[in-house]
Each structure stands twice: as C-alpha cells, then as structure tokens.
Amino acid sequence: MSVLPSERKEEPRRQGPRSTLGDEERRLYALALDHRAPLSGEELRRLSGLGRATVDAALRRLLSLGLLSVDTESQRLAAVSPDTARLRVLAPAVRELDSMQQELDLARLLYDDLATVYQGSMLRPGRPIALEELHGAEAVRSALTALARDVTDELVVSRPGGAQSGPAPQEPRPVVDDLLARGVRVRSLYQHTARFHRRTVDEVARLTARGAEVRTVSGGFTRLTVFDRRTAVIELPDVPDGAVLVREPSVVAFAHLAFEQVWAGGTVFGTEYDPGVVEETTEQVRETIISLLVDGVEDKVIARRLGISLRTCQRHISEIMRRLGARNRLHAGYLLHRRALTLQGRAAG
C-alpha cells in the first residue's frame, strides 16, 4: 500500500473535533514507534492485523496530525514525537492567531480614538441632545405640548390603563384639537378596559368625531407619544410621572414600529354599545389574564398591567375558575398549565 502526499491533500486536515486517538490509530502509532526503521503501509497493516480500509483511515488521521512522516520516494512511514508534530502542525495556526490578535488590537485602538472624537461631537454646544430625561408631570406635559405644536403629519399616542377621562401627564391633550383641525393624523391606543368607562367613551366619541382614530387591545404596553416619526416621549419604568425625550432616529423608528405592531392587532374603539364587541373584548381580557396567571404573575400586578381594579381582576379570575371547574386557586393553576400544554401541543402538531 502506498501513501502519497497527494492522497493526504485530498483528505481534510481536520477530521472532526476528536481530542484523542482512536484504538486503531493508537495501535498503528505504537507499532511505528516500536520499529525504529520506517515501515510501509502494508507492513503496518500486517503487523496490526487490521483491515485495509481501517488502516488507510487511521494512517490518514496520523499523517494529518503530523504523528507520522512519509518518505516520498520509498513511501515508508516513520513515527514523529508529539512535541515535534505539535510544532509542525500548530505553528501555522499560531502564526495566524498572532496576526489576527495584532489586527484586533489595532482595531480597538482605532475605535477608541474615534469614540473620543464622537463624544466630543456629541457634547458640542448647539447639538441636539439625543436623550433627555423629564421628571414630574409638569415637565412632561410642557415638553409634549411644545413638541405637538410643531407636528405637521402624524401624532401617535399609546395610553395604558383603564379609565382615560382626564388629561394624562404624558399626552398633549390641549393641543390635539388643534392638530385635528389642521388635518394632522392622530392615533391613540388604549386598553380594552377603557371601553367600560363612560367618560372615556364620551371623550373618544368627541375625538373620533373630529377625525382621530382610536383602537384598544387586551394586553399591556408602554406609554408612548411619537411626533412625526422624528421625536418620541417614552415613559420611564418605575419612575412616577417620569419620561425620556428621544431624538435618536433609530430609537424613534423602533418606538414607532412597536406602536404599529400593537396597533395592527387592535380593535376599533366604537362609541356605540355593541354587545358582540363587548363580549369579544372581555374574552380577550380574560385570555390575557390566563396567560399572566400561567406565568405566575400576582393578581395586583395583573390588575395594574390591564388598567383595572384589583377587585375587577379577581372577578375575572373567579369567572375563569368557574369555567375551568377549579375547586381552588391551586387546582386552577394545575388546570391552566395543562391547558397551556395542550394548546402548545396542538400548535406544534
């Protein structure tokens, strides 16, 4: 049997992630070590007692690791010490890694230098601040009112919570009528629970009569106002009456896209009583409650996310337990988890 260099080139250098030799490879390597004189492939096959295909595969592996060397003229094989093989095989990779490390170090220096330039530009007097925190209802309302006056195309507002009867700290309500009169598109997003508040319904009726668009969804979302897709005011989580004014285009675009995705799944807020819509939205609210219960969310947190009172939330939970036939909250939790697993199984199928 001959082992030509060309045969080795056809075989990939790395033959898998194995970090040790197989039994056949160890046996052939040991035989080559025991016989100081080079051996042919045929001699190694005979001494090992292994089949030709097994020997061929093992020799290719040993050659790729540099543990055997082959004389191109005699085609005889000799064992190579692991230290020598490591140097021969790994040296090119080590040199390549060193070169890559040098390139990475140079790139870090380049970007560190550019970061200094960037920061200097951002702090230059007269440049608009990309992010600005607003604290307090008056500061938020003043910023919203000032920004709304310059809107020429579109204003979108998302208002989580239930009843929406009065001006909110984060909605430029006094300016909305003027925007609608100027032909600006105004869209507002509420939660389904806002439909069950008479003064909210009356306010929506007034705004929609002037051209505003209002939809509702069952789940929670962030309080947000986007002005002409150029500027956004987003609530600060866990900061009462706090918000952040954003002028960074990529962040504003993301905020507007988030609004559009929720808006697309919303239901038009009709101001006339429609039993079908009431039943549908009530069921969507209960499905949201079920989802939150399965996730282990507490009743008071569910109520806050859906913009309803704790008492109303617990009434919905009682109705859910009645439909499930649950004897208590623990039994309801078991049935809800089983229901969730069943739905997941159907979706996977």
Side-chain angles (χ1 to χ4, degrees):
M1 181 189 72
S2 65
V3 183
L4 298 174
S6 59
E7 292 181 276
R8 284 192 291 153
K9 290 180 181 177
E10 292 174 359
E11 192 68 24
R13 181 168 183 170
R14 294 181 183 177
Q15 301 180 10
R18 285 188 295 152
S19 60
T20 60
L21 294 179
D23 292 339
E24 296 83 0
E25 295 159 354
R26 285 179 175 276
R27 186 186 304 181
L28 290 175
Y29 183 58
L31 286 172
L33 286 172
D34 291 341
H35 289 72
R36 299 293 180 178
L39 297 169
S40 67
E42 186 63 33
E43 289 170 334
L44 281 171
R45 186 183 68 80
R46 188 175 63 256
L47 290 170
S48 66
L50 299 171
R52 185 177 300 278
T54 301
V55 171
D56 287 350
L59 290 180
R60 283 194 292 270
R61 168 88 169 147
L62 293 170
L63 286 164
S64 71
L65 293 172
L67 293 170
L68 290 180
S69 64
V70 59
D71 183 83
T72 55
E73 293 184 3
S74 66
Q75 295 295 302
R76 300 183 75 80
L77 302 158
V80 178
S81 72
D83 289 338
T84 301
R86 179 170 57 244
L87 290 174
R88 289 178 179 175
V89 174
L90 299 184
V94 171
R95 287 195 296 270
E96 184 178 350
L97 287 174
D98 288 342
S99 177
M100 291 177 63
Q101 186 62 55
Q102 290 177 6
E103 291 182 10
L104 287 173
D105 291 341
L106 290 173
R108 289 194 185 97
L109 291 174
L110 171 65
Y111 289 120
D112 287 345
D113 182 58
L114 290 176
T116 303
V117 176
Y118 176 81
Q119 291 170 2
S121 174
M122 294 300 292
L123 296 174
R124 189 173 62 248
R127 182 184 179 93
I129 300 174
L131 298 173
E132 179 182 353
E133 287 193 6
L134 306 171
H135 295 280
E138 187 57 37
V140 174
R141 189 177 293 112
S142 296
L144 290 168
T145 302
L147 290 167
R149 288 197 183 102
D150 295 330
V151 172
T152 59
D153 181 44
E154 180 189 54
L155 177 77
V156 302
V157 179
S158 65
R159 294 190 63 188
Q164 307 285 342
S165 58
Q170 297 189 31
E171 181 176 353
R173 293 286 285 283
V175 189
V176 170
D177 288 334
D178 176 62
L179 295 178
L180 293 170
R182 290 195 280 116
V184 173
R185 186 185 186 191
V186 176
R187 290 186 289 164
S188 295
L189 188 65
Y190 296 162
Q191 289 177 289
H192 285 334
T193 48
R195 293 172 176 268
F196 308 109
H197 187 259
R198 185 68 257 171
R199 282 182 293 177
T200 301
V201 174
D202 292 341
E203 177 66 6
V204 170
R206 188 184 73 81
L207 291 174
T208 53
R210 297 176 65 87
E213 302 169 57
V214 184
R215 294 185 184 181
T216 63
V217 295
S218 62
F221 46 83
T222 298
R223 189 178 298 277
L224 165 74
T225 308
V226 182
F227 307 83
D228 281 339
R229 303 192 186 191
R230 294 197 306 265
T231 311
V233 175
I234 307 171
E235 69 174 341
L236 286 172
D238 303 321
V239 179
D241 295 334
V244 59
L245 194 159
V246 183
R247 295 186 178 91
E248 171 58 42
S250 59
V251 179
V252 175
F254 177 81
H256 191 272
L257 176 62
F259 175 90
E260 290 288 4
Q261 290 176 336
V262 180
W263 177 264
T267 303
V268 174
F269 195 147
T271 54
E272 297 296 328
Y273 180 76
D274 185 331
V277 173
V278 171
E279 182 178 356
E280 179 185 353
T281 54
T282 300
E283 287 305 312
Q284 289 181 14
V285 168
R286 285 175 180 160
E287 283 296 323
T288 301
I289 291 174
I290 288 173
S291 177
L292 293 172
L293 286 172
V294 170
D295 289 339
V297 181
E298 296 180 0
D299 293 4
K300 60 182 180 182
V301 177
I302 295 175
R304 185 168 65 250
R305 289 188 185 180
L306 298 185
I308 57 179
S309 68
L310 178 59
R311 188 173 179 180
T312 300
C313 177
Q314 290 173 337
R315 281 204 302 268
H316 281 300
I317 293 173
S318 296
E319 174 61 20
I320 291 167
M321 291 175 60
R322 185 190 68 77
R323 292 185 184 182
L324 289 170
R327 297 184 297 273
N328 49 49
R329 289 294 290 267
L330 183 62
H331 187 212
Y334 166 75
L335 294 174
L336 287 173
H337 276 285
R338 192 174 68 177
R339 176 180 183 270
L341 291 173
T342 301
L343 292 175
Q344 290 174 7
R346 290 175 183 172

